Amino acid sequence: MNKKIEKILYLPNPRGFCAGVERAINIVELSLEKYGPPIYVRHEIVHNPWVVKDLEKKGVIFVNELSDIPDGERVIFSAHGVSSEVKSEANSKKMDFTDATCPLVLKVHFEAKRHFDNGLHIFLIGHKGHPEVDGTMGQIPKNSITLLENEDDINKINERKYDKVALITQTTLSVDDTARLINLLKKKFPNITEPPREDICYATTNRQMAVKSIAKKCDAIYVMGGENSSNSLRLVEVAKKSGCKNNFLISDIKSINWEEMEEFSSIGLTASASAPEILINEFLKIINEKFKVKIKTNSIADENITFKLPKELRK
Ligand code: SF4
């Protein structure tokens, strides 16, 4: 029998599901139990193909728009949040809905509305086209909010155009890149109103800090997460910027090149806030079959946050 190649596997903590994702998936599963299939969900409930396929098997139908839903059916809004227009559309169609928007995204919505009511122009740092950004921008009239994606966008701002301004951000950005952009924005607007507490959520921050803590020790890091998931993509970027040369975003365990892994003696494994632990367990099962693995865990924070379910689904 061939002697197995030895590997060190770093498992940082926290990793995987956050409280907002747990709540959103619970809302869908409890709705299936209470109302029976099919259950319609506008947009992927969270950005993870495993989660989406699993729910589809249980009777969930994911749609892009409310117009894709037959009359009389109820709908769930995804964890990323929706614009006021989408909620008004549901109300005007007399469509029952359950809002699975993460409470930490709702906090950003409230900030946007409060600043607007106080007459401030809002700068939102985020990624164009991401559903969370669409939902946040859609809380207030278009001309009262400007999306900033990068330094160029900030450099182009004509500060004389604005009187009172405020800053909010998407919840799943890179902590370090966003801090740089905020500093740049503050140079233009020293009196800009900032969020009372950071808008980047605890789960995004902790997962990035955890991956940073192992990056320099790893020849390669595997991030379990969806290709359209902002916090998964940011984890891969953070791993790279923090010193790990080979970084892989894995949305399907079948896509892993196990032969290539032979070259790496120390490996890191983590999962984004929308990726289930079952994917980590599948990875561990296979890597243990192929190599002689010594696991080293590294925890940088304890998480004990939970969010309440909507009243109608509480048991
Ligand atoms: S990543 Fe953060 S904002 Fe997004 S669902 Fe999780 S806790 Fe909420």
Side-chain angles (χ1 to χ4, degrees):
M1 202 174 90
N2 288 339
K3 203 169 163 237
K4 282 183 178 175
I5 302 170
E6 292 188 10
K7 305 272 169 217
I8 296 177
L9 180 70
Y10 289 95
L11 270 180
N13 243 320
R15 60 170 186 274
F17 278 1
C18 60
V21 164
E22 294 257 16
R23 176 179 180 270
I25 295 171
N26 267 338
I27 287 176
V28 179
E29 292 192 327
L30 290 168
S31 299
L32 278 166
E33 252 175 53
K34 183 167 176 177
Y35 305 108
I39 289 286
Y40 288 83
V41 178
R42 184 185 178 276
H43 197 83
E44 292 183 354
I45 186 75
V46 299
H47 282 157
N48 185 276
W50 190 94
V51 172
V52 167
K53 269 189 213 137
D54 183 57
L55 291 173
E56 277 174 342
K57 275 186 233 151
K58 294 175 180 166
V60 173
I61 299 174
F62 292 95
V63 296
N64 289 327
E65 296 306 333
L66 299 185
S67 52
D68 301 330
I69 301 174
D71 289 347
E73 296 288 351
R74 47 186 309 118
V75 64
I76 297 173
F77 298 140
S78 79
H80 313 97
V82 292
S83 65
S84 318
E85 208 180 317
V86 172
K87 280 192 183 164
S88 308
E89 188 187 346
N91 283 329
S92 70
K93 290 183 165 188
K94 299 202 173 14
M95 191 178 257
D96 287 324
F97 64 82
T98 308
D99 191 355
T101 305
C102 175
L104 299 182
V105 174
L106 287 177
K107 171 188 128 327
V108 182
H109 290 186
F110 292 135
E111 281 171 41
K113 286 190 263 197
R114 184 165 47 85
H115 294 318
F116 173 70
D117 290 343
N118 290 336
L120 278 69
H121 184 84
I122 296 153
F123 292 109
L124 165 64
I125 300 178
H127 297 292
K128 193 174 180 188
H130 189 280
E132 181 187 324
V133 165
D134 292 345
T136 301
M137 295 190 79
Q139 300 304 312
I140 50 179
K142 276 197 181 95
N143 58 2
S144 52
I145 185 161
T146 306
L147 177 63
L148 304 171
E149 290 195 276
N150 50 40
E151 289 189 13
D152 272 359
D153 290 346
I154 296 177
N155 290 333
K156 279 186 216 148
I157 300 172
N158 175 0
E159 48 271 58
R160 279 178 302 226
K161 250 178 81 183
Y162 304 98
D163 178 17
K164 291 188 291 178
V165 291
L167 147 76
I168 57 175
T169 82
Q170 192 179 331
T171 57
T172 51
L173 300 176
S174 150
V175 173
D176 294 339
D177 292 349
T178 307
R180 268 192 293 279
L181 294 181
I182 291 176
N183 279 337
L184 199 58
L185 196 56
K186 278 160 84 175
K187 281 192 186 134
K188 286 213 168 216
F189 301 102
N191 297 323
I192 193 165
T193 304
E194 291 182 74
R197 287 185 64 191
E198 277 175 5
D199 289 335
I200 297 181
C201 75
Y202 78 96
T204 301
T205 305
N206 288 347
R207 279 147 194 71
Q208 288 179 17
M209 276 167 56
V211 90
K212 253 187 188 181
S213 73
I214 60 160
K216 283 203 176 72
K217 299 178 207 162
C218 295
D219 297 325
I221 292 182
Y222 294 78
V223 175
M224 310 307 289
E227 280 161 20
N228 55 349
S229 152
S230 174
N231 69 63
S232 309
L233 293 163
R234 300 297 82 78
L235 274 182
V236 176
E237 284 170 13
V238 169
K240 188 175 175 196
K241 285 185 185 168
S242 306
C244 179
K245 288 201 181 101
N246 304 287
N247 301 285
F248 304 96
L249 177 60
I250 307 296
S251 62
D252 182 346
I253 204 108
K254 291 191 202 100
S255 68
I256 295 175
N257 183 341
W258 299 97
E259 275 173 28
E260 180 184 34
M261 204 183 282
E262 288 178 10
E263 294 167 23
F264 310 133
S265 50
S266 56
I267 290 163
L269 173 63
T270 188
S272 78
S274 47
E277 189 69 6
I278 194 171
L279 300 176
I280 293 277
N281 292 336
E282 275 182 37
F283 185 107
L284 291 177
K285 185 171 170 281
I286 300 174
I287 197 171
N288 274 304
E289 284 164 7
K290 294 188 179 289
F291 306 108
K292 186 175 173 201
V293 181
K294 186 172 174 194
I295 293 183
K296 293 197 174 188
T297 54
N298 191 37
S299 183
I300 58 97
D302 289 329
E303 289 182 351
N304 48 17
I305 293 176
T306 51
F307 295 130
K308 273 189 189 163
L309 289 165
K311 263 194 207 134
E312 71 269 22
L313 294 173
R314 284 183 213 155
K315 287 193 175 160

